[in-house]
Amino acid sequence: MRNLLLTLSYDGSGYHGWQIQENAPTVQEAFQAALYRATGLREDLKACSRTDTGVHAREFCVSLKTESRIPPQRLAAALNHYLPPDIAVKSCRPVPEDFHARYSCKGKEYCYEIWNHPVRDPFRQGRALHYWYPIDEALLDRAAKAYLGRHDFTSFCTLDKREKGDLCRTVSAAGVERRGDLVVFTVAADGFLYNMVRIMVGTLLHVQQGKLAPEDLPSVLAAQNRRAAGPTAPAWGLYLNRVFYP
């Protein structure tokens, strides 16, 4: 029995997130089908996270314990042969027996991309939020610094049954930069709550619209009230960018 860590990337446009659902296509379903075709085995997968409908991943990690003796590089190639074009295995390597893609994770980095131009880009449809009014990226970068450090992020969380107990998280990096007509918010933390990044983005856009000032964000955090923050930005601009392990 080997424990393997596989790193995937995928375009989430055609999927209802990672986790298997009864009546909707998911990335996990497609991956497990490819794995069965490659190995003939139905393996128990441990994923680093659950992405929502329409969310993308540049680096998504899965661990699995398998009796298959296919070498890691050949297994990755076989999976890519059977996977649909919008999902790819970037790497596959052995890890210690006690490694778990979720519980061994020390943090993640997300990016949210905004196409900031009066005219929509058809090639970014479903892959970036189209925001046609001018964005002051320096203003939003200054506002984003309020997210840094350890805070209770209740104001930035859609509460449901998955979010219980301690809602504090430590944000190690948060910033906004412009790359031509693309404005990108990048945030890294030891963990994220449900819709946390998308609400962070919606709140930054409230700053852009003058509904909040950068100086207001500490009080939004302190309120520990979802109604104090901005709206939840659409899913299609969000990317799981990196996953951190020891």
Side-chain angles (χ1 to χ4, degrees), residues 205-217:
L205 291 178
H206 260 197
V207 172
Q208 178 59 53
Q209 295 157 10
K211 297 176 182 178
L212 290 169
E215 296 74 24
D216 294 330
L217 264 65

Side-chain angles (χ1 to χ4, degrees), residues 81-194:
H81 175 75
Y82 292 119
L83 282 167
D86 49 8
I87 306 173
V89 176
K90 298 166 65 176
S91 66
C92 177
R93 63 183 177 90
V95 288
E97 184 180 354
D98 60 352
F99 181 92
H100 189 291
R102 179 182 176 188
Y103 297 124
S104 299
C105 176
K106 297 302 181 183
K108 303 182 187 76
E109 178 185 271
Y110 282 90
C111 288
Y112 194 96
E113 299 190 353
I114 302 172
W115 178 249
N116 186 217
H117 191 280
V119 179
R120 66 183 180 274
D121 182 351
F123 297 103
R124 294 189 185 276
Q125 178 66 28
R127 296 178 179 85
L129 172 65
H130 180 210
Y131 190 87
W132 48 88
Y133 300 107
I135 289 179
D136 182 347
E137 65 276 7
L139 175 71
L140 299 196
D141 183 66
R142 182 158 59 90
K145 301 312 177 192
Y147 297 140
L148 291 170
R150 186 161 185 82
H151 306 284
D152 185 311
F153 280 94
T154 300
S155 296
F156 294 84
C157 171
T158 300
L159 291 174
D160 69 356
K161 61 184 179 181
R162 79 184 78 183
E163 301 297 357
K164 296 179 180 179
D166 185 10
L167 299 185
C168 291
R169 298 293 185 271
T170 301
V171 174
S172 56
V176 177
E177 63 177 330
R178 178 176 289 278
R179 305 170 188 170
D181 291 318
L182 198 66
V183 175
V184 182
F185 169 60
T186 303
V187 58
D190 58 357
F192 289 88
L193 304 173
Y194 182 38

Side-chain angles (χ1 to χ4, degrees), residues 188-237:
D190 58 357
F192 289 88
L193 304 173
Y194 182 38
N195 283 340
M196 179 172 157
V197 180
R198 291 166 60 189
I199 298 169
M200 286 175 153
V201 173
T203 303
L204 291 177
L205 291 178
H206 260 197
V207 172
Q208 178 59 53
Q209 295 157 10
K211 297 176 182 178
L212 290 169
E215 296 74 24
D216 294 330
L217 264 65
S219 63
V220 172
L221 283 160
Q224 298 180 24
N225 186 331
R226 174 65 188 88
R227 289 177 292 181
T232 305
W236 55 80

